[in-house]
Amino acid sequence: MSTIPNSSRRNFLKLAATAGGGLFIGFNWSTSSAAQLEVLNGAAVAAGTIDFNSYLSIATDGVITIYSPNPEIGQNIKTSFPMVVAEELDVDFSKVKIVQAALDAKKFERQLTGGSGAVPHSWQRLRKAGATARYMLIEAAAKRWNVPAGEITTDKGVVLHKASGKKLSYGELATEASAIPVPAEVKLKDRKDFKIIGTSVKNVDNQNIATGKPLFGLDYYKEGMLFAMVQRPSAFGLKLKSVDSAAAKAMPGIVDVVTFKNNVAVVGKSTWQVKKAREALKIEYEKEGNLESTTDHNRLFTELLDSGEATIRRKDGDVDTAFKNAAKVIKGEYQCPFLPHSPLEPMNFFAHVRPDGVELVGPTQTPELARTETAKLLGIAPEKITLELTRMGGGFGRRLKADYALEAVEVSRLVNAPVKLIWTREDDMTGGSYRPAVRYRFEAALDAQGNMVGYKLRGVGINAGNCTRENNFPSGAVDNLLIDSVEHKSPITTGAWRAPITNFLAYAEQSFIDEVAQAAGKDPVQFRLDLLDKAKKAPVGEIKYDIDRMKGVIQLAAEKSGWGKKPGVSQGFSVYFSHASYVAQVGEVVMEKGKPVLKKVYAAADCGIVVNMSGAKQQVTGGVIDGLGHAMYGNMSFKNGAPEQTNYNNYRLIRINEIPQVEVHFVDNGIDPTGLGEPALPPTGAAVSNAIFKATGKRLRNQPFAEQEELKGIS
């Protein structure tokens, strides 16, 4: 396979229309509980393949194809989605063909990857898709054999009538099944009968990835396409003034140099040629906005934390009186820097703007957004745009935006040719969009018995919007509470970064709660459990988290880690709720040669039913490592609007020898799945920093940890 196959809806329907006869069936779920049937009479699928719904087809030769509509970013959705369909269809998963579906807003709802919401959103839809096809196959067999459908069973893609010994493969029944009326409701499997869901299934792309098959956006190639690279302003707050492209245009392989907005694009016949030509451009910029530095932000944080111009996010009780009468008041400030997303695969996209429409191919977390924005840019109907999804080499929220796709569209339109736009690593790291830099100020009031009777949090963020999660724990568990926020608008572009806001807020909140527990003279785990018990018995205001689920992961993590029972090991605790899931972690630190060394992290997760056990463990482990690496080392700083870190030579990532053992456990409560791609990251920083504090007595209040004096001074 030299190119990524075209599986667009347009080509599929063209094949279906020319096959003659038969029935094409598709589903469009407008809500999570209702299925709206879409039937196209007189259409059949070529080569004897019947599409039973948007998610699966069965060929007369027995080949079963299951389509995965959501973009694959490494979260294993291309394996997990088909597992759910295959479970209800009752087939041998190892014999199923898995295909990445192209963008189709009519067939698929929420065809995006972000917010850890794919499986929760599609769980019932996927199950109904498989169960509906299985129902139709059973009904077809019952009709052929003239026996009651209730006497028929299925197993691994075969329909069985045990009383007579008759059996037929799904392929043998596909054509007849396609004529069966589609049921309005269908019975789903009981959880105890699951054969695939909850098992460990290898990623369906493993072999292709290991053998270098073209799966990713950077792999995509189309005969006759040109390559392009864009030079963007060198600092946030600058705009393009002039460009001299004569030298670049004269270089070998260069087709054109074009400008749009504040960008200059070099277009040519190879990546290397356009990269070298871009270096030959002579560009002048002029100031358009503030040219901000990290030192400016540090000063601004202090000013804004002290200002009275904050937006109140939640207020319970009489906060002023609680602090006035407190036996003890604890205060703490925590700060985090900007962070780039740094996916392994830099931004790239293919675009071909033609008079009759637009072809888009590439790695995007939000394909419909890319198509919609392209339609707006070109002033055409979205239906004239096809978008084919490639696998993504990471994204972590960066590919939620469509800016790099629109750059490809702009360049293709300007040069009137198919164009593959490629960012270098330096482009990727310096071109935005970053995790917002934030500082939090906490205050807690304790009564004489060490109970937390007052709680205040003010968050200040740079382009962060509301940098708090005002309804998360401990809200609802404290009688007197005030949470507010302030935002500073900056030319530095920001965006969603894995577990938005909570990626740092969880560290700050959970570290401060440890500070409060210490001041109260109480065990950190029990302190949290006591607060949750109070929230359950006497809730203050609205509770928007599940108290029992949070207690469940706390207790599981404490049990599995042997909390407080390991001499010579310093343990730190953290728990957090995000994306409808709950994760508690225990970090274990030992002192070696006078320095704290992280040896192990225990993680207990409640994400409902686990679809793919191996994939789920990898998600939690990856979240822990990602959270640890960025808490320890990640730092993007600016000087006069320009990023000071441009590649991995001066931007520090965690290294393989720095990764501790990670032990993962899941709460088995049988509820429908909730998010998992992001929830394991937020608790990690505090589990580690609280363990380091216990080992050294030094409290880490800023990230990255490795640059803090508290660690540098340990000997």
Side-chain angles (χ1 to χ4, degrees):
M1 183 172 65
S2 59
T3 60
I4 296 172
N6 190 327
S7 56
S8 71
R9 174 179 169 86
R10 182 189 64 203
N11 288 349
F12 171 75
L13 291 179
K14 183 178 178 181
L15 286 172
T18 58
L23 182 71
F24 170 73
I25 301 171
F27 289 104
N28 176 23
W29 276 282
S30 55
T31 69
S32 60
S33 59
Q36 180 183 353
L37 180 63
E38 180 183 303
V39 180
L40 304 179
N41 289 301
V45 182
T49 299
I50 308 297
D51 269 56
F52 284 88
N53 50 54
S54 304
Y55 297 97
L56 69 97
S57 68
I58 301 173
T60 54
D61 63 2
V63 175
I64 297 171
T65 302
I66 297 180
Y67 302 95
S68 183
N70 285 47
E72 174 58 63
I73 198 172
Q75 83 283 35
N76 213 36
I77 208 72
K78 192 176 175 182
T79 304
S80 297
F81 266 26
M83 285 176 67
V84 180
V85 177
E87 180 68 76
E88 293 291 349
L89 183 60
D90 203 4
V91 294
D92 183 346
F93 190 76
S94 66
K95 296 180 180 178
V96 171
K97 179 182 178 183
I98 309 300
V99 173
Q100 174 68 63
L103 172 64
D104 193 325
K106 292 182 179 179
K107 279 187 182 180
F108 306 112
E109 187 182 290
R110 198 190 183 276
Q111 198 175 358
L112 60 88
T113 291
S116 298
V119 171
H121 174 270
S122 298
W123 171 249
Q124 292 294 332
R125 294 168 172 80
L126 296 167
R127 295 186 70 188
K128 288 177 182 177
T132 299
R134 179 174 173 269
Y135 169 91
M136 295 165 72
L137 290 159
I138 289 174
E139 289 293 323
K143 188 175 181 180
R144 182 191 284 201
W145 294 332
N146 195 27
V147 299
E151 295 181 4
I152 296 175
T153 59
T154 59
D155 183 46
K156 296 183 179 179
V158 176
V159 180
L160 307 163
H161 184 243
K162 293 181 180 178
S164 65
K166 293 178 179 178
K167 64 180 180 179
L168 289 167
S169 71
Y170 285 1
E172 291 174 293
L173 285 166
T175 302
E176 294 164 70
S178 70
I180 297 295
V182 180
E185 296 293 334
V186 65
K187 189 179 188 317
L188 302 178
K189 276 188 179 182
D190 190 289
R191 187 185 173 211
K192 66 180 175 54
D193 297 322
F194 286 169
K195 302 173 186 175
I196 299 172
I197 292 173
T199 65
S200 292
V201 175
K202 293 180 181 178
N203 189 304
V204 296
D205 282 337
N206 275 358
Q207 184 174 357
N208 288 335
I209 292 172
T211 56
K213 295 294 191 299
L215 293 171
F216 300 91
L218 283 175
D219 297 326
Y220 185 80
Y221 177 81
K222 187 170 184 177
E223 194 67 34
M225 76 179 190
L226 299 174
F227 294 85
M229 285 189 180
V230 172
Q231 182 61 55
R232 300 163 193 85
S234 56
F236 293 94
L238 294 180
K239 67 177 181 179
L240 182 66
K241 182 179 180 182
S242 65
V243 57
D244 180 352
S245 59
K249 286 182 177 180
M251 295 178 71
I254 301 307
V255 174
D256 204 351
V257 176
V258 295
T259 61
F260 60 96
K261 299 184 175 67
N262 278 330
N263 303 318
V264 183
V266 180
V267 186
K269 296 180 179 179
S270 76
T271 304
W272 180 251
Q273 287 173 326
V274 297
K275 182 178 183 297
K276 297 305 291 182
R278 187 176 65 165
E279 295 170 1
L281 293 171
K282 297 177 181 178
I283 302 176
E284 285 188 75
Y285 297 101
E286 58 186 353
K287 186 177 178 182
E288 184 179 40
N290 294 331
L291 300 176
E292 297 179 353
S293 301
T294 296
T295 52
D296 300 326
H297 297 151
N298 291 334
R299 173 181 51 79
L300 276 168
F301 280 143
T302 300
E303 292 175 359
L304 294 175
L305 281 172
D306 292 335
S307 75
E309 299 178 4
T311 301
I312 295 176
R313 303 296 178 178
R314 177 164 177 159
K315 186 174 183 180
D316 296 325
D318 187 343
V319 178
D320 290 341
T321 300
F323 276 85
K324 181 180 178 181
N325 297 332
K328 184 181 292 186
V329 173
I330 303 93
K331 298 181 180 181
E333 289 188 15
Y334 291 79
Q335 182 169 321
C336 71
F338 289 99
L339 290 181
H341 292 80
S342 299
L344 187 61
E345 177 191 22
M347 301 301 107
N348 66 90
F349 224 77
F350 170 87
H352 188 187
V353 179
R354 308 182 309 269
D356 63 333
V358 180
E359 179 186 4
L360 301 177
V361 183
T364 170
Q365 294 179 241
T366 52
E368 190 169 3
L369 175 67
R371 184 175 70 168
T372 301
E373 292 300 310
T374 297
K376 289 180 183 178
L377 177 66
L378 301 177
I380 63 174
E383 291 73 25
K384 289 190 173 183
I385 303 167
T386 63
L387 196 153
E388 191 175 329
L389 295 166
T390 65
R391 189 180 176 97
M392 287 172 272
F396 311 108
R398 178 61 182 92
R399 287 186 160 100
L400 289 170
K401 293 193 172 185
D403 56 317
Y404 58 100
L406 293 180
E407 286 182 349
V409 173
E410 291 262 29
V411 177
S412 176
R413 176 173 64 170
L414 289 169
V415 300
N416 193 29
V419 169
K420 173 74 170 290
L421 179 82
I422 297 177
W423 291 35
T424 63
R425 173 57 59 199
E426 288 81 3
D427 294 335
D428 204 71
M429 193 167 288
T430 62
S433 113
Y434 306 103
R435 179 189 77 173
V438 179
R439 186 187 292 177
Y440 294 107
R441 175 179 289 171
F442 295 90
E443 296 181 55
L446 296 178
D447 64 15
Q449 290 74 44
N451 300 309
M452 185 160 65
V453 295
Y455 180 88
K456 290 195 285 188
L457 163 62
R458 172 167 293 182
V460 176
I462 298 173
N463 291 345
N466 176 15
C467 59
T468 73
R469 291 293 181 265
E470 63 273 11
N471 294 315
N472 279 8
F473 177 79
S475 294
V478 184
D479 291 331
N480 308 286
L481 175 143
L482 174 64
I483 297 176
D484 56 26
S485 67
V486 186
E487 181 181 25
H488 169 68
K489 295 288 188 181
S490 169
I492 299 171
T493 57
T494 62
W497 193 95
R498 190 176 187 181
I501 301 300
T502 61
N503 55 60
F504 179 77
L505 176 60
Y507 153 73
E509 286 180 341
Q510 289 293 303
S511 295
F512 182 69
I513 286 176
D514 255 44
E515 288 196 61
V516 179
Q518 181 197 16
K522 297 182 179 181
D523 174 79
V525 170
Q526 192 59 49
F527 186 73
R528 290 167 171 85
L529 290 172
D530 290 344
L531 282 170
L532 288 167
D533 286 339
K534 181 182 183 305
K536 189 160 188 175
K537 293 174 184 175
V540 182
E542 190 175 6
I543 304 281
K544 291 193 175 181
Y545 51 90
D546 189 309
I547 294 170
D548 291 332
R549 290 181 70 190
M550 182 170 277
K551 287 183 65 176
V553 293
I554 290 174
Q555 291 163 344
L556 182 60
E559 174 198 338
K560 295 298 182 182
S561 66
W563 176 259
K565 300 175 182 177
K566 295 182 176 179
V569 176
S570 297
Q571 294 180 312
F573 190 83
S574 177
V575 62
Y576 214 70
F577 158 64
S578 65
H579 306 281
S581 290
Y582 300 78
V583 180
Q585 294 179 17
V586 174
E588 293 190 338
V589 166
V590 298
M591 296 298 291
E592 294 182 356
K593 298 180 180 179
K595 294 185 178 181
V597 178
L598 179 66
K599 291 293 188 179
K600 189 169 184 176
V601 175
Y602 292 86
D606 178 353
C607 59
I609 293 172
V610 174
V611 176
N612 184 352
M613 185 57 69
S614 63
K617 287 183 177 179
Q618 290 163 10
Q619 282 297 300
V620 174
T621 301
V624 169
I625 295 169
D626 197 11
L628 169 63
H630 283 93
M632 285 294 300
Y633 308 112
N635 187 13
M636 173 65 77
S637 58
F638 294 83
K639 186 172 183 179
N640 297 324
E644 294 188 289
Q645 293 75 30
T646 59
N647 206 321
Y648 295 138
N649 63 312
N650 58 3
Y651 181 79
R652 179 80 153 82
L653 291 173
I654 192 169
R655 296 164 184 158
I656 194 166
N657 64 310
E658 294 163 338
I659 295 173
Q661 180 184 355
V662 180
E663 184 174 314
V664 181
H665 299 274
F666 292 97
V667 173
D668 184 11
N669 54 19
I671 67 173
D672 285 357
T674 51
L676 190 58
E678 292 162 287
L681 185 148
T684 304
V688 174
S689 67
N690 289 336
I692 291 174
F693 171 79
K694 194 167 184 180
T696 66
K698 296 183 181 294
R699 182 71 66 183
L700 298 171
R701 291 192 176 88
N702 298 313
Q703 291 184 2
F705 299 159
E707 296 182 13
Q708 303 311 308
E709 288 300 322
E710 289 87 348
L711 282 188
K712 290 180 180 178
I714 294 171
S715 59

